[in-house]
Amino acid sequence: VLGAAEAGLCASAGAAEVTVRRRVRVGVVSTGDELLAPGEAWAPGRIYDSNRTTLLSIAATLGAEGVDLGIIRDSSPNRAEEFAAAFDKADVVVSTGGVSMGETDWIKGALEARGMDTAFGRLCMKPGKPTTFASGGGGSGAGLFFGLPGNPASALVTAQLLLAPCVKRLQGYPAQACLHPEMTLNVKPAPPKRGVPLDPERPEYHRVVLAPAACGGGLVKPKPKPQPKPKSTPKPKPR
């Protein structure tokens, strides 16, 4: 990203003009009848849409141009047209929800209708199993699509692991610079009865706390889950 320091460096080298890439446009859309935009009045059976805010923030952090594509309702008679229009507004379209196996999960059908090639529709990972990636289908952008799970934690994990490297690569970063760094760490054993149960088949991604260890290496311990408050025992009523 060409910032203040980089622009000054170009000037110090006598460069009046430099060749740059435009920022990648990342369009973010949420799907579902149950969603409310932040600021709307809450109603029973509805939840606030946090995924768009999270994903647009990730796009901004990566130096991309985030395009807010709003919410597409599952019950909308024009949902296929609304979905298709997203590809004229962004290079990469990212949706959350609608990619699992339920009756209202319509995204994969919309991809087929656009003639897009689906590279994968499920991943052997947890969270993020129903993640989908497709490409092609025309449009003014690059024609790339990521369908992320609707669960906010799943959407965040899959965006960091899959979307972020893709956006970096489109912006011209070397392939190796797009990958996440790898570290060897010492794992602090969890207390008895509070271990981390792992899926025997799928690799899992957990939130942890990273802190320096006395031995000079890394120390990782699972982030504790909030513990329920103990129920108080009601006092016996006097007879």
Side-chain angles (χ1 to χ4, degrees):
V1 178
L2 190 62
E6 291 80 8
L9 183 62
C10 293
S12 68
E17 295 182 357
V18 292
T19 301
V20 298
R21 296 172 182 260
R22 68 165 175 82
R23 291 196 297 166
V24 174
R25 295 171 299 171
V26 179
V28 181
V29 60
S30 296
T31 66
D33 287 337
E34 75 282 5
L35 298 179
L36 291 170
E40 291 186 317
W42 180 81
R46 310 293 292 276
I47 58 173
Y48 286 108
D49 176 19
S50 63
N51 286 335
R52 268 187 307 143
T53 301
T54 299
L55 295 174
L56 287 169
S57 298
I58 290 176
T61 302
L62 295 169
E65 177 187 350
V67 182
D68 188 348
L69 300 175
I71 300 172
I72 299 179
R73 304 294 177 186
D74 292 334
S75 58
S76 172
N78 300 318
R79 67 186 186 189
E81 291 78 6
E82 295 174 38
F83 181 73
F87 291 88
D88 289 326
K89 301 174 182 177
D91 300 299
V92 183
V93 175
V94 188
S95 76
T96 54
V99 293
S100 191
M101 305 295 287
E103 294 181 359
T104 59
D105 297 326
W106 52 271
I107 292 291
K108 293 179 181 178
L111 294 173
E112 293 177 1
R114 277 188 52 80
M116 300 187 73
D117 297 322
T118 300
F120 55 81
R122 295 166 75 84
L123 289 176
C124 185
M125 61 180 287
K126 184 179 180 181
K129 185 176 181 179
T131 302
T132 299
F133 175 75
S135 61
S140 60
L144 301 179
F145 172 77
F146 286 92
L148 308 183
N151 178 278
S154 299
L156 178 60
V157 168
T158 49
Q160 293 287 5
L161 292 176
L162 303 173
L163 174 64
C166 174
V167 171
K168 287 183 177 180
R169 189 65 174 140
L170 289 174
Q171 294 189 135
Y173 283 79
Q176 193 62 32
C178 299
L179 302 177
H180 292 281
E182 295 184 3
M183 297 181 290
T184 301
L185 302 165
N186 300 321
V187 180
K188 181 179 180 180
K193 299 183 179 180
R194 289 184 59 188
V196 181
L198 298 176
D199 191 296
E201 297 180 355
R202 291 185 288 167
E204 295 193 31
Y205 297 86
H206 288 266
R207 288 168 288 180
V208 298
V209 176
L210 180 63
C215 61
L219 175 62
V220 174
K221 55 183 178 180
K223 189 174 183 180
K225 295 182 178 179
Q227 298 297 315
K229 295 181 179 179
K231 297 181 179 180
S232 59
T233 304
K235 297 181 180 179
K237 296 181 180 180
R239 295 181 179 178

